[in-house]
Amino acid sequence: MAGSAEAAAQGREPPAGGAARSGKRAAPAGAETLQPAKLSRAELYKPPTSEELSQLKETEDLFHSSLLRLQIEELLKEVTLKETKKKKIDAFLHEINSLLSAVPETPETELTDQAWLPRGVKVPFLQVPFSVKGKFRFLPPAELRVVGSYLLGTCIKPEINVDLAVTMPREIFQDKDNLNQRYHRKRALYLAHIAHHLSKEKLFGSMKFAYMNSNHLKPILLLRPQGKDEKMVTVRLHACPAPDLFKPSRFYPSKNNVRTAWFMEQSAPKEGATESPTPHYNNSILCDTVLLSHLHLLCSAAADFPGMKDGVALLKVWLNQRQLSKGLGCFSGFLVSMLVAYLLMKRKIVKMMSGYQVLRSTLQFLATTDLSVTGISLVKDVDASLPVLDDFHQAFEVVFVDPSGMVNLCADMTASKYHQVQFEAKRSMEILDDRMVDGFQVLLMTAKPMLRTFDHVFHLKHVSKLQGACKKMQLLNELMDRGGNYVAAALPFLVSLLVRGLAGRALLVAHSLPQIPEWSIDAEPPKHKDVGPLLFGILFVPECAASVLEKGPQADHPEALDFRTFWGEKSELRRFQDGSICEAVVWEADSICQKRLIPEQIVRHLLKLHADIPESSICYVGALLESVIRTGKEAFGTGEEAMVSVICSYDDLSRKLWNLKGLPLTVTAVQGVHPALRYTDVFPPIPMKPIYSFHTQIKTKHLLLPSEEKPCPAFIAPLKIICHMEGSGQWPQDKEAIKRIKAAFHLQLAELLQQQHQLVCRPAVTHTDVYKDGYVFRLQVAYHREPLILKEVVTPEGMLKYQDTEESRQLELETLHLPYLTSSLHGLQQQHPVFGSTCRLAKRWISAQLLSDNISEECMDLLVAFLFLHPAPFTAPSSPQVGFLRFLDLLATFDWKNNPLIVNLNSGLTDADYTEIKNKFVAARSRLPVMFIATPKDQWSSMWTQERPSAQMVFRPPLDFYDVLIHLNPNQIPRHLEGVDRPLKSFSRGVVKNSSSVKILFPVVDYDPVQCYLQELRDAFSDLALFFYDKHGGEVIAVLWKPLSFQPQPFKVSSMKGRMMTTRNNDLVCVPNVEAILEDFEVLGEGLVKSVEARTEKWTI
C-alpha cells in the first residue's frame, strides 16, 4: 500500500500562535455544555496573530459576510471523512490487500476459451464480436496501490469511494494486445477471476461489477464491507497494465487500433481501404497507464496547500447538485482536482488561498474558458514527438491533456456538456457577486434537477433506436472507436443537430449523462440500451423562442443548398418585404401556447429527418400542464389572447375616463386592480352578451334576473378599476360626507359615459358598472385623503390622533396597495411573457387543492413573482411548466418559520433594506403571520398574508381526509367549464359571445350561487366546521369538523346553536347535533345541493 501521500491527506495545522491561547478555552473533557471562556485581561486585549489578521482580512474582502465563511466551514465539516471512519477503511484495505496477493494462478488458455471460469461469475464485458486472437492466464497482481481522492483527503460524503489500482503482471500480455479489444478483454477476465476468488470470503457485504463512469470498455469491481459498515465505503478495483508495457506512440489520437474487418466480422480486409483513427479507444487504454503519475501530480499540488482539499470538496458538492459528476462524459471529481492542479501550475491559484478562493478561481476559469475551442495541457516541457493540441481537437470535442501529453482527460465529454458546465459557472459567479442573494444556500445547498432547470425537456424512450440513427448518420468509425456503444457514438451528433436547429431560440441545449447501474457478479453485463431514457433539456432565449419563421440565406447563395438539406421539405422559397428572395421555414402555430411549442416541432422534425428517430420514441414535455387553463368550450388557446383583448378594452376605457367632459373634478389616475388586468386571472373574462330568454326581465328598471327554470347564467366577473379624483378644498372632511360625494360621482360618471360614449352603465352607491366590449368594468372613485380621515380618532381628552382602523386599512389596500401591485406585476409580465400563465397554473393548482379561500390571489401572485425576480440558482422561467414546478418546490421547501420571503418589485429594496427586514423579522417572529412576504411598499406588515393562510392551512391533502362531502348540481355551477376534468357535456349558460351592440339590457354580474351558499354555510357553522371549495367549477364542497367543537360542552342557553342535549356520566352536556346540521346543509342549498355524503367512519360523536 502506498503511504507516500499520507501527508497530503492531513487537515490544517493549528494557527502558529493559536496553540497557547486555545489551552485556556478548551472545555473539560467530560463537560456536556459549552462553558463561557474565562480570559484574563491580558489575554482579552492581546493583539491578534498574523493568522487571525489574514482571516479577518479575507472575510472582509471575499465573503459578503462572516456568515458565508461559517456556513462553508460547517459544510466542509459535514462532508469530509472523520478520522474514526478512516481507521476502519484502512483496516478494510489491508485485508483486501492480503486477500488479493493470495488469488491462485490459472493455466494459459485461448482468450475465447472461457470454460475455466466457474458458473457463478460472468465476464463483465460485452464481447461483440466474440472471436479474438490472443491467450490469457491469471497471475497474482504485481503491485497494489491506493490512488485517487482518498489519499488526497478530498473524497466527500455521502459516497466514499476508494480507488485501488491492481497492476496486472507483464507475463500475461502478448505482442499485439493493443489491437481489437484484446487488452480490454484480458482486463475483464482478470477482474472476473478476482471476483470469483473473493466471493468465497465472508469479509464482503456485497460485491458488484460496474462500468467506470459508465464506459463499457472499462469494467471495475466494487467491494463493500459487511454489516452496518456496508454503506461506509466502496473500494473500486481498477486493473491496469504493467508500466512501459505498451509503446505510447501506438496510442496517439491519429492511430488506429481496431480493425474494420475484425469489427465487421469479415474474413479479410478490403483492398486499399484505410483504417480510420480510434482516439477514444486509444485513450481508454492510456488512462490505465497513467494512474500513478496523476496521483503524484495531485499529491505535490496538495502538499502544503490545505485550501486545495477544501476547494475541491466544495467544487464536488457544486457539481453533484447540478448532476454533472456521474455518467459517461461527466465532469468528475478527479477532473476537477486535475483542473485545480493546472490552475496552480499556471499561477491562477496560489498555495496561500483558502477553499473558497479556490472555488471562485476555478469557477471564474470555467466561466471564461471554452475547452471545446482552446484546449489546455498539463505538459511542462515541450516534446516534438508528442501530439499537439490541434491533433486532440480533431479527435475529441473537449480537450484537457494530462502531464504525459497523450491522455485527454475530457475524452468522453461532449461539447454540449462542457458548455453546460461553463454556463453554470458563469451563473454561479454572478450569484457570488450579488449581495442580495444567499450564495451559499443557492450554490451549494440547492439541487438542480433537469426538470426544474430547463424550460422544456424531452426524452428518447427507446434508446435502441439510436442504432438506426448511427446507420443513417454513417457513424461506423465512431461505433468502432466506442466499442459498439451506439449511445455514446450518436449522442454528440444528435446534440449538435439540435443546437443548430434551435440556434437563436435556445440559450443552452443539454443532455443527461448516460448512466449504467452496477450489477452482480453472476449476471450478464448490461447492454448499451440499459442506460434508460436519455433526457434532453432546452433553455430558451425568451424573446426568440416562439418565432414562427426560420429565415435562411438568399436563394442564389451557395449556403442555400446546405439550408435546404438541413431542413428537408420544410424549406421553401419566400419573398420578403425588403424584396429579397430567401430560403425559409415557416412553422404552423396560431395561438401563443402553440407558438411556445414550435421547438417541439423542430426537435421532432430534425430527429426524424436526420436520425430516423420516430415521433413515438420522443416524449416531449413542454406544455403537459397547460390543458387545465384552456379557455372556452373549444379550448383553443390558454387564454393569453383573451387577456390581451381585456387589457386593450381597459386601456380604451381609461382614455375615455381621462377625457370625460363635464366632471366637476378631473380624473387624475385610472388604475386597474382585477387580476385580469395584471395577466394573472386563471380564466380571463370572455366578452359576453345575455340571451334574454334565459332570464327574468324587470321591464320598469331595465334589469335581468336569473331564471329559476333555466341553468344558472354564466359567471361574469366585474373588472374593478380605481378612479382617483383630483384633490380640492371643496372635498368635505367628514367620512360620511365623503361617501355621499363619491356616490354622486358614481352617478355622474355613469351619466357622462352614457352620453359621450354610449356605454351601458349601472350606477350604485359604492361603484358604477360599465358594460363595454362584452366586459363589465366596475369603477370605484377614490379620494387620496380619505384613508387619513378614516384614521382620525378623538381621545376622551378631546385630542385628535391618528391610528389605523380596520376601515382605513381596507381602503388603503384597495386604493393604494392593490393598484401598485397590479401595475408592478403588469410590468413584470412585459419582461417575462410567461409570468401570467405560470401564475394561472399555480392558482389553478391551489384551487384544485380546495385552498383558494385560504390563500389570497395577491399572495399567490407575489410567490410566483419571487420565482421570476429571484430565480437563483436557475434562470428566470421561459415556460409556464417550469415556472409551476419551481412554484411547487418553493412551497415545499421554503422555510417560512425562519425566513421572510422578500419580493423585490421594481428593484425597490437595497442591500441594507434586506438586512433590516431579516433582523426585524427574527426579532418579531412570534407576532408575524405564518407566511411573511415583504415588498418595497410593504416591508413590515405582510398585508397580503395577514388574515390567511393559517398555520394548519398551508398544506391540506386530497378528499380522503374530509369528513363530509356536499355534492353540487352542475346545472347551477356557473363556472362548470373551468373544472380540471372538463365536463363531457355542458349547459347553455344564457349568454352568447359578444357583439359590440350598444342598446342592451345589463347582464347579471358577479352571480355565483355556490359562493353565496358557501358564505351562508360559513356564517352559520364556522364555529363547528371548515369549508373547502374549488371555485373554478368544483362539483364538491368538502367539510372538515373542528375537533374542539366535538368535545362535550356544559349546558348554556347562549351556546345551543347546532347542538343537542345529552347526558354523560349523569351530567347534562351539549354535543353537536350532526344529523340536524347535515339536514341544514341540504335545506340551505335547496336546488344547488345534489346530495350530502357523510363519512361517518372518519368521526364519532
Side-chain angles (χ1 to χ4, degrees), residues 954-984:
V954 178
F955 299 105
R956 171 72 61 203
L959 285 179
D960 326 354
F961 293 83
Y962 295 104
D963 300 323
V964 179
L965 300 180
I966 304 173
H967 296 277
L968 306 175
N969 175 3
N971 205 355
Q972 295 301 331
I973 303 174
R975 303 168 130 196
H976 194 219
L977 267 179
E978 297 177 4
V980 174
D981 303 309
R982 297 178 70 81
L984 297 172

Side-chain angles (χ1 to χ4, degrees), residues 216-233:
H216 283 264
L217 296 174
K218 303 293 280 290
I220 50 177
L221 180 60
L222 309 180
L223 305 172
R224 294 188 178 97
Q226 211 176 6
K228 65 178 191 303
D229 288 337
E230 185 173 344
K231 290 200 171 71
M232 176 179 74
V233 65

Side-chain angles (χ1 to χ4, degrees), residues 108-117 123 127 130-137 172-174 176-177 179-190 262:
E108 189 167 81
T109 57
E110 287 292 322
L111 255 180
T112 47
D113 172 17
Q114 291 161 10
W116 58 273
L117 257 182
V123 182
Q127 304 183 65
F130 184 68
S131 64
V132 67
K133 292 176 185 167
K135 293 185 164 47
F136 176 77
R137 60 185 290 213
I172 69 171
F173 293 102
Q174 280 98 30
K176 292 189 174 175
D177 277 354
L179 293 177
N180 301 349
Q181 300 181 3
R182 290 183 206 174
Y183 162 75
H184 293 94
R185 295 192 186 191
K186 285 191 175 177
R187 195 177 167 282
L189 285 166
Y190 198 87
W262 170 78

Side-chain angles (χ1 to χ4, degrees), residues 1066-1091:
N1066 301 328
D1067 288 336
L1068 265 184
V1069 291
C1070 311
V1071 294
N1073 185 353
V1074 175
E1075 285 185 13
I1077 292 171
L1078 296 182
E1079 200 177 314
D1080 287 352
F1081 287 174
E1082 290 204 56
V1083 172
L1084 278 175
E1086 190 181 352
L1088 173 64
V1089 173
K1090 201 159 56 171
S1091 64

Side-chain angles (χ1 to χ4, degrees), residues 1-3 6 86-102 144 146 150-151 162 164 198 203-204 223 233 235 237:
M1 305 283 276
E6 291 295 355
K86 279 189 184 168
K87 283 181 181 151
K88 282 187 178 177
I89 292 173
D90 286 340
F92 185 53
L93 287 171
H94 280 296
E95 293 189 63
I96 293 174
N97 191 9
S98 51
L99 285 173
L100 284 174
S101 37
L144 296 167
V146 174
Y150 179 66
L151 279 187
V162 179
L164 195 55
L198 297 186
L203 175 65
F204 305 108
L223 305 172
V233 65
V235 175
L237 293 195

Side-chain angles (χ1 to χ4, degrees), residues 326-381:
K326 280 196 189 120
L328 185 65
C330 64
F331 208 101
S332 63
F334 163 69
L335 196 52
V336 128
S337 310
M338 293 299 271
L339 184 61
V340 172
Y342 169 80
L343 294 175
L344 188 65
M345 184 178 105
K346 291 288 181 197
R347 309 267 164 82
K348 297 255 174 68
I349 285 178
V350 290
K351 291 203 172 189
M352 294 295 293
M353 285 185 174
S354 68
Y356 177 66
Q357 286 172 300
V358 171
L359 172 76
R360 276 190 73 106
S361 306
T362 312
L363 291 179
Q364 180 62 33
F365 176 80
L366 284 170
T368 51
T369 316
D370 189 348
L371 298 186
S372 65
V373 180
T374 49
I376 54 174
S377 170
L378 275 160
V379 179
K380 284 191 178 140
D381 310 314

